[in-house]
Amino acid sequence: MRPLVSFEEDATALNSYEPVLVPGLLQTEEYARAIHTAGRHKVAPEFVDKWVAARMQRQRRLTAPNPLELHVVVAEAALSLQVGGQEVLVGQLRRLVEASQAPNITIQVLAADSCGSGGIAGNFTVLHFADAKIDPPLGYFDGPLGGHMVSDEGGVVTLMNMFDDLRHMALSEADSAEMLVAVLEQQHREDIHV
């Protein structure tokens, strides 16, 4: 994550696709913590605290002067994955609904019944900078063994094209906002009955 975070500080815009989880820049503290503590292989608490604090610090770019322009496409499945349990999910969905109203944040949902994901199985990010001639866009993707920066022009163009395909397959921003509210209301009802 270090290279991504370093470049993210200088980026003016960020495009991201997440097929399973809510994007890190939009995660609540509880959701981020649950990601790092779930599973059989627990992470030491001091590392979890450090990683969660770093994620919350990164989110400040979204509300700073000259905020980062964030455009995410999130698979519908990520909106119902019980990361941290029902209460954490409800809080996370509430955060997404609020974020969708910010002028510098665009959230699109790739509906489960859409025509697919364009063959894209993993998450990725494209960072854009103020002057593309001086600082060309960079790509990033990660997995269970760590993250990888993509600086090769052809690779970055491929990621940009993949994101463009996904945003066209996804629901519009307005329809996505409606879906977020509907999923939040459904999960909230289920949380009350638990």
Side-chain angles (χ1 to χ4, degrees):
M1 284 296 289
R2 280 191 187 137
L4 172 65
V5 172
S6 174
F7 287 114
E8 200 175 76
E9 290 175 8
D10 295 325
T12 56
L14 189 145
N15 298 337
S16 180
Y17 170 63
E18 283 287 347
V20 179
L21 299 171
V22 169
L25 287 174
L26 297 174
Q27 291 175 1
T28 63
E29 186 172 340
E30 296 78 14
Y31 186 96
R33 185 170 303 285
I35 288 171
H36 294 299
T37 58
R40 290 182 24 211
H41 303 287
K42 302 292 185 206
V43 176
E46 62 271 16
F47 291 116
V48 172
D49 292 343
K50 183 177 170 182
W51 292 337
V52 171
R55 182 154 294 168
M56 298 303 106
Q57 174 69 29
R58 287 173 53 216
Q59 291 181 7
R60 293 182 183 167
R61 282 290 321 277
L62 296 173
T63 57
N66 299 313
L68 180 69
E69 294 287 329
L70 179 65
H71 187 161
V72 299
V73 174
V74 182
E76 183 179 356
L79 304 179
S80 59
L81 186 63
Q82 293 283 327
V83 173
Q86 190 73 24
E87 187 176 330
V88 171
L89 179 59
V90 168
Q92 180 59 69
L93 291 167
R94 195 171 288 123
R95 165 74 173 114
L96 289 175
V97 169
E98 292 167 3
S100 71
Q101 298 168 10
N104 60 309
I105 299 174
T106 301
I107 300 173
Q108 289 184 266
V109 177
L110 185 64
D113 63 358
S114 72
C115 59
S117 63
I120 301 161
N123 63 322
F124 67 90
T125 298
V126 178
L127 299 106
H128 300 273
F129 303 93
D131 187 340
K133 290 180 183 168
I134 296 172
D135 292 314
L138 292 172
Y140 178 84
F141 65 93
D142 68 336
L145 300 178
H148 304 281
M149 292 301 302
V150 179
S151 58
D152 171 71
E153 184 179 345
V156 174
V157 168
T158 297
L159 291 176
M160 290 168 62
N161 289 337
M162 288 167 40
F163 185 80
D164 196 47
D165 289 345
L166 287 163
R167 74 179 183 84
H168 282 98
M169 285 187 272
L171 299 174
S172 70
E173 187 175 2
D175 289 343
S176 295
E178 285 181 21
M179 176 180 271
L180 289 171
V181 169
V183 172
L184 172 59
E185 290 172 352
Q186 174 64 33
Q187 293 294 336
H188 185 66
R189 282 193 297 274
E190 290 177 17
D191 188 35
I192 290 171
H193 291 99
V194 171

